[in-house]
Amino acid sequence: MSGADVFTMDPGEVHKSVEILFDVESEVEARTGTLVESTGSLAQGLTDSRTALGPALAEAADWWKVLRAGGFAGLCGNTGEYLAVCAEEAVEVDDYNAGDFASYADHDRYPGRDNANASARPDW
């Protein structure tokens, strides 16, 4: 299929990207842990002073760690695992995948991809 070569990726380069994603995941988890620890002592002091702000601050820190930063870190890790498997199983993204992406991708979600590799689209 004409134009599909633009989708070819070197497995070594994919693995480098995976390493970066895993590093980002670890860094987010480490910094978030430090933030929660620091906030925890402040929240405990406020709680001991019988202020409503103490428990609210502790709850906000936990929410941030688990749902906000934790969700982002999880996405980085999951994406890294997925790409590591792809690098081994699908040594390169071939004509078939390029055509499928062009056919199925939501081009409103990925603006510019529909015309950037137009020759890979099976209907063009």
Side-chain angles (χ1 to χ4, degrees), residues 3-112:
D5 59 325
V6 297
F7 290 91
T8 302
M9 291 180 271
D10 176 69
E13 292 300 313
V14 175
H15 284 298
K16 287 179 188 176
S17 299
V18 170
E19 291 169 6
I20 291 168
L21 284 168
F22 289 162
D23 288 345
V24 169
E25 177 187 38
S26 295
E27 185 71 18
V28 168
E29 289 174 348
R31 288 184 184 226
T32 303
T34 301
L35 176 71
V36 170
E37 285 177 27
S38 299
T39 305
S41 60
L42 176 59
Q44 188 60 51
L46 292 169
T47 300
D48 292 346
S49 299
R50 298 185 186 271
T51 65
L53 186 57
L57 182 59
E59 185 177 335
D62 287 339
W63 176 88
W64 183 262
K65 179 181 180 187
V66 174
L67 297 177
R68 189 66 166 169
F72 174 74
L75 287 174
C76 288
N78 290 342
T79 302
E81 289 174 2
Y82 173 77
L83 290 175
V85 171
C86 286
E88 295 301 319
E89 294 293 320
V91 175
E92 64 184 38
V93 180
D94 58 13
D95 293 353
Y96 177 79
N97 290 336
D100 276 357
F101 178 83
S103 295
Y104 299 130
D106 178 350
H107 298 294
D108 290 332
R109 176 176 281 178
Y110 310 112

